[in-house]
Amino acid sequence: VSTQSTGVTCSKKLSTDDGYIHRSLVPTEHYQKSLPRLPIPKLEDTCKRYLAALEPILNESDYMNSERIVNEFLNGQGKELQSHLIAADKQNKNSSYIHQPWTEIYQ
């Protein structure tokens, strides 16, 4: 494998013929039942972390607009969505709340 932009050459093959880095002998979901369930974060905490991530990359005006939108979400549709997420999590005792959407997106 060589990379023209860096001039790096590697003699070791980085993937299998079908494009995977390696083939595992253990099925993907083998340990799923032994994993602890992830708690659903509080909506308020998620919104605070989101705003904290935006603060260093937005100017003051854009940050204040984002803060307004987040507060509207937090006091409106966010509560309803959070309650749906909690209800769905209670129905699924076999895995964490994030498992199904994560699986649908990445498989």
Side-chain angles (χ1 to χ4, degrees):
V1 176
S2 73
T3 306
Q4 290 180 348
S5 62
T6 62
V8 174
T9 303
C10 177
S11 61
K12 187 175 181 181
K13 189 174 179 183
L14 298 176
S15 65
T16 63
D17 290 335
D18 54 6
Y20 291 98
I21 293 174
H22 72 359
R23 284 263 178 218
S24 174
L25 299 177
V26 180
T28 301
E29 309 247 341
H30 181 76
Y31 294 105
Q32 188 66 34
K33 291 181 181 179
S34 66
L35 297 174
R37 289 174 51 81
L38 295 173
I40 296 176
K42 292 180 181 178
L43 182 60
E44 296 81 6
D45 293 344
T46 301
C47 290
K48 284 178 188 175
R49 284 193 306 274
Y50 176 68
L51 287 171
L54 291 180
E55 192 169 18
I57 60 173
L58 297 179
N59 63 40
E60 186 177 350
S61 174
D62 289 341
Y63 178 80
M64 291 181 73
N65 187 47
S66 297
E67 192 174 41
R68 180 187 56 77
I69 293 168
V70 167
N71 285 326
E72 287 175 6
F73 177 78
L74 183 60
N75 296 310
Q77 190 178 23
K79 288 182 180 182
E80 181 182 349
L81 292 171
Q82 183 81 351
S83 67
H84 285 295
L85 181 60
I86 291 168
D89 185 56
K90 287 180 181 177
Q91 295 294 316
N92 181 10
K93 296 294 182 189
N94 297 321
S95 65
S96 295
Y97 73 98
I98 195 70
H99 181 261
Q100 182 181 357
W102 184 270
T103 303
E104 289 173 2
I105 291 169
Y106 292 105
Q107 284 189 346

